[in-house]
């Protein structure tokens, strides 16, 4: 290409994808099915429909259809904040003096501040379409709750959010954004559910966890007519909705004839990474192209790099289906000083299978190095990145520096999932030198592995 590549590659509205891409259709080894926690048999559609919306259950179980059309109403909502830009990080390249070419797909240009809105609007749409009154969910740092509140506010659905207690107290602004969009927000564990009361009785001083908030949200959904539970990551349906990120990225790269050598993304439950890599992984699975695909996780919550691939509970209360995934055990809670998000104990079953098949790599990075990378990036590229996203920045910079040593002009694409305006307490800790890099010992991890369900 002789044409100079612009700082930002935007697609036209007319070039936006009209279908999501379902990578499972191209996987030889399909992700393992969700199991009923009582019988250990695969969950049937009927069983799942007690908890999740009907159309979303169909998407969850669909391993065959390669493309799923995006309903017009969702496409119209997407147009309020999409297509998102694919940015050429010229300023970062210059600063690093690297021959590598670095691109990032920026998903932070909406009020919720992250990619989570891509799935929130889809899930809210199908709930509304089914004639439901509302949805329940959990939120940790608050991005998912905010995204869902926005989507429900737009469609006029009731939205009940259980927010991990420590975040509820430390992030009052997130909470108020959710309430602005009409959601009700309850700190978890709470005394409003049976499972919450049980957890509080056993651990009165607990600051809560995602797994515990999930149990509460599920309980409220199944015990209130007209309500279903929705989840912001991990599930197959969420990766499907997030494929919009990868499809747009691929279309933008194709416009300029750019072929990436590696694709990097942070991994919490795996939805942004799964979405970003989907079309590229599809090409890889069909033998049409090859890419290095790298998942980046916190050293303090290392599901891929130190977890086991096994059936596990998705929640602390053990009410959800069992999922086969790379997991640290459902009781795992990262050390209290962990500040960078990505704290879920498990990982998307799709990504877990791909990783187990050797189709992608994973690295774990300590949090102070993540904040160093975040700061370096903010100062040259302008965007204040979310700590989660900064895991990907860290490894993109590491790879660009390797290129500097070898002189290779590799093309690196990474996912910049969101902005960090609500994470300034974490930045403050970093700036004040109060952040450390606690990494769990093998003995600690062993303790949680021992709580995995016994499978026969
Ligand atoms: C939720 C979130 C993540 C991690 O979730 P995944 O499902 O792994 O994508 C990453 N970045 C941001 C900004 C988030 O809000």
């Amino acid at each position: 290409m002789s044409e100079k590549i612009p700082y930002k590659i935007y697609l036209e509205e007319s070039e936006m994808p009209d279908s999501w891409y379902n990578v499972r259709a191209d996987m030889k080894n399909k992700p393992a099915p969700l199991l009923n926690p009582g019988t250990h048999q695969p969950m049937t559609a009927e069983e799942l429909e007690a908890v999740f919306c009907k159309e979303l259950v169909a998407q969850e179980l669909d391993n065959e259809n390669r493309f799923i059309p995006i309903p017009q109403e969702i496409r119209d909502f997407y147009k309020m904040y999409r297509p998102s830009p694919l940015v050429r990080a010229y300023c970062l390249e210059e600063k690093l003096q690297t021959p590598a070419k670095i691109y990032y797909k920026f998903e932070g240009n909406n009020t919720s501040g992250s990619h989570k809105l891509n799935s929130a609007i889809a899930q809210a749409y199908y709930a509304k379409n089914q004639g439901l009154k509302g949805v329940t969910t959990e939120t940790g740092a608050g991005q998912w709750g905010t995204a869902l509140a926005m989507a429900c506010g737009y469609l006029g659905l009731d939205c009940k959010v259980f927010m991990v207690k420590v975040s509820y107290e430390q992030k009052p602004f997130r909470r108020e954004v959710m309430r602005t969009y009409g959601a009700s927000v309850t700190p978890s564990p709470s005394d409003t559910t049976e499972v919450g009361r049980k957890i509080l009785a056993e651990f009165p001083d607990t600051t809560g966890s995602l797994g515990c908030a999930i149990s509460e949200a599920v309980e409220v959904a199944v015990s209130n007519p007209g309500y279903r539970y929705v989840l912001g990551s991990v599930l197959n349906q969420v990766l499907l909705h997030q494929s919009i990120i990868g499809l747009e990225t691929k279309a933008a790269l194709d416009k300029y004839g750019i072929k990436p050598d590696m694709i990097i993304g942070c991994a919490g439950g795996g939805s942004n990474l799964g979405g970003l890599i989907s079309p590229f992984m599809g090409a890889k699975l069909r033998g049409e192209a090859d890419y290095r695909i790298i998942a980046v996780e916190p050293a303090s919550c290392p599901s891929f790099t130190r977890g086991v691939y096994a059936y596990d509970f998705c929640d602390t209360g053990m009410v959800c289906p069992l999922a086969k995934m790379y997991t640290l055990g459902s009781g795992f809670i990262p050390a209290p000083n962990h500040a960078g998000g990505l704290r879920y104990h498990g990982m998307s079953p799709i990504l877990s299978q791909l990783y187990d098949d050797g189709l992608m790599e994973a690295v774990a990075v300590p949090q102070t190095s993540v904040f160093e990378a975040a700061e370096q990036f903010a100062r040259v590229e302008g965007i204040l990145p979310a700590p989660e996203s900064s895991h990907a920045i860290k490894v993109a910079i590491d790879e660009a520096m390797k290129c500097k040593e070898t002189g290779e002009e590799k093309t690196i694409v990474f996912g910049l999932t969101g902005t960090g305006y609500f994470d300034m307490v974490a930045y403050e800790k970093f700036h004040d030198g109060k952040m450390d890099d606690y990494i769990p010992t093998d003995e600690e991890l062993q303790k949680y592995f021992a709580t995995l369900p016994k499978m026969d």
Side-chain angles (χ1 to χ4, degrees), residues 143-192:
Q143 290 99 324
W144 167 245
T146 311
L148 189 68
M150 280 180 75
C152 288
Y154 180 76
L155 295 170
L157 268 181
D158 185 35
C159 178
K160 298 185 194 300
V161 181
F162 286 87
M163 186 169 188
V164 177
K165 191 184 274 167
V166 59
S167 301
Y168 182 91
E169 284 159 6
Q170 285 178 0
K171 300 194 168 182
F173 298 144
R174 274 266 178 227
R175 188 173 82 206
E176 290 316 312
V177 176
M178 286 185 255
R179 291 176 61 194
T180 300
Y181 285 95
S184 69
V185 188
T186 307
S188 166
S190 74
D191 59 8
T192 66

Side-chain angles (χ1 to χ4, degrees), residues 114-116 143 232-233 266-273 342 386 388-389 417-418:
S114 82
H115 65 284
K116 293 203 172 69
Q143 290 99 324
S233 186
C266 64
S271 74
N272 88 83
L273 179 66
L342 309 173
E388 291 90 342
S389 323
T417 49

Side-chain angles (χ1 to χ4, degrees), residues 36-109:
N36 179 308
T39 64
H40 292 185
Q41 293 303 304
M43 291 287 287
T44 62
E46 201 180 8
E47 287 173 317
L48 286 168
E49 283 165 16
V51 181
F52 300 106
C53 306
K54 199 171 159 69
E55 192 58 35
L56 293 166
V57 168
Q59 294 179 357
E60 192 63 30
L61 298 175
D62 186 344
N63 286 343
E64 307 305 325
N65 289 302
R66 198 169 265 127
F67 290 99
I68 312 241
I70 308 174
Q72 188 61 45
E73 205 169 342
I74 299 175
R75 287 162 65 188
D76 290 343
F77 186 89
Y78 278 167
K79 283 178 198 159
M80 295 200 297
Y81 67 100
R82 311 198 68 83
S84 70
L86 181 71
V87 185
R88 173 75 184 267
Y90 281 120
C91 303
L92 181 63
E93 290 171 19
E94 171 73 25
K95 172 79 183 176
L96 300 176
Q97 288 289 300
T98 173
K101 299 177 174 62
I102 309 173
Y103 296 84
Y104 56 90
K105 179 73 167 163
F106 181 47
E107 291 290 320
N109 267 336

Side-chain angles (χ1 to χ4, degrees), residues 216-245:
E216 289 204 274
V218 171
E219 181 183 319
V220 171
V222 299
S223 52
N224 282 286
Y227 282 80
R228 291 293 185 281
Y229 166 71
V230 295
L231 179 61
S233 186
V234 184
L235 295 175
N236 299 341
Q237 56 185 280
V238 184
L239 270 75
L240 175 72
H241 306 146
Q242 295 297 355
S243 70
I244 187 92
I245 304 173

